[in-house]
Amino acid sequence: MRKHVVLFGFILLSQVASAQLFSKEKIRNLETEDKRLLSYGFFLGYNSYDFNFDYNTDQADILVEKTGGFSVGLIGNLRIMEYMDLRFEPGLYITTRNLVYDESYFQGMEFTDTDLKREVKSTYIHFPLLMKFSTKRINNFKPFVVAGLSTALNLSSNENNPDDNSSGQFRTKKNMFFYEVGFGVDFYLYFFKFTPSIRGVFALNDEIIQDKDPNSPWTSNVNTMKTRGVFLNFTFQ
């Protein structure tokens, strides 16, 4: 995923540099698009989630196997001033992460290969409120940066499940809070505005639910477990 982020950033910078070098005025599509007080759209995207762990004692790290996920949602945009917009982007984000434990976590205990791995499925209903800061429009595209806060409801959290890891159930909290930062480019096409963007999301609160056993090999050494991720979204307005 890191390679994809670097490649995406390189493409955006190349587009901006190209516009500055070849700034001859062109026919401008959707000339009045940015003058509307309210505008709407939708997005499709790719997400890659990870976990960041803080441990109680110095022990082998819990490894996170990431898998790519799918994202879809709506966009509402409020124009505040010429280069500043307030955006609400509710969406559905589906992903799976696998936690892989070192055998040292089960020292002095009987365990199987199944005990060394826990699947964490997440289905987030994501509610970000973002400020978008744009540059001056260059012909038919306009770079921007975006930042804000968000909350999410994890429908797959297992928070209220009475079973824990002793029964094979890894539990996480249902309600999450994040801060987000990112950048992208608005491309003004003939009929609509197309926007590729990339955004990093970072949890503000701990997500793990401790097992009933205070000496649980799966949770006892974890002080905090916080989600972090990367969103690659394609917006149509």
Side-chain angles (χ1 to χ4, degrees):
M1 184 61 191
R2 184 176 300 174
K3 294 181 179 178
H4 293 146
V5 173
V6 173
L7 178 60
F8 183 77
F10 177 76
I11 293 173
L12 293 186
L13 291 174
S14 298
Q15 290 290 342
V16 174
S18 176
Q20 291 173 342
L21 290 173
F22 306 102
S23 57
K24 183 179 178 180
E25 194 68 25
K26 299 179 181 179
I27 296 175
R28 291 162 66 95
N29 299 323
L30 305 175
E31 184 71 35
T32 62
E33 174 67 21
D34 292 336
K35 299 185 184 300
R36 291 192 294 168
L37 178 64
L38 293 172
S39 59
Y40 305 93
F42 68 94
F43 69 85
L44 302 172
Y46 169 90
N47 65 69
S48 178
Y49 281 93
D50 193 1
F51 284 121
N52 182 47
F53 290 94
D54 285 330
Y55 301 99
N56 293 317
T57 61
D58 187 13
Q59 207 168 343
D61 288 344
I62 300 172
L63 302 181
V64 183
E65 294 180 347
K66 297 173 288 184
T67 60
F70 175 73
S71 314
V72 61
L74 302 174
I75 290 175
N77 190 92
L78 173 65
R79 183 176 186 266
I80 297 177
M81 57 182 64
E82 186 174 3
Y83 301 116
M84 184 183 300
D85 299 88
L86 180 65
R87 294 171 72 86
F88 181 51
E89 301 185 2
L92 175 68
Y93 291 76
I94 300 172
T95 191
T96 299
R97 287 157 285 186
N98 294 312
L99 304 183
V100 181
Y101 289 81
D102 189 83
E103 293 183 3
S104 60
Y105 279 86
F106 299 85
Q107 190 170 6
M109 303 171 57
E110 292 185 1
F111 64 91
T112 65
D113 289 342
T114 304
D115 294 324
L116 298 176
K117 193 170 187 176
R118 284 291 181 264
E119 184 181 60
V120 183
K121 292 184 177 181
S122 301
T123 304
Y124 294 108
I125 305 295
H126 200 75
F127 302 98
L129 190 61
L130 307 168
M131 291 299 300
K132 176 183 177 184
F133 303 94
S134 304
T135 67
K136 183 179 179 180
R137 177 172 170 174
I138 307 170
N139 292 324
N140 283 317
F141 67 91
K142 182 169 65 174
F144 65 86
V145 295
V146 57
L149 299 173
S150 60
T151 183
L153 183 67
N154 186 359
L155 303 181
S156 305
S157 69
N158 282 323
E159 180 175 5
N160 298 319
N161 192 332
D163 295 328
D164 60 14
N165 278 293
S166 61
S167 301
Q169 296 294 326
F170 194 95
R171 301 178 299 173
T172 58
K173 294 178 182 176
K174 183 178 293 185
N175 297 305
M176 296 297 301
F177 300 93
F178 303 88
Y179 70 91
E180 310 188 13
V181 292
F183 62 93
V185 177
D186 290 328
F187 290 95
Y188 298 81
L189 306 182
Y190 191 78
F191 290 109
F192 61 90
K193 182 167 67 175
F194 171 67
T195 305
S197 65
I198 193 162
R199 200 158 75 235
V201 295
F202 307 90
L204 295 170
N205 60 314
D206 180 22
E207 192 167 356
I208 195 170
I209 293 181
Q210 296 288 332
D211 290 338
K212 299 171 187 175
D213 180 3
N215 297 313
S216 166
W218 296 281
T219 64
S220 63
N221 193 42
V222 179
N223 184 26
T224 62
M225 182 184 79
K226 295 183 179 181
T227 284
R228 57 189 179 185
V230 175
F231 298 164
L232 178 60
N233 290 340
F234 300 95
T235 300
F236 304 83
Q237 287 180 269

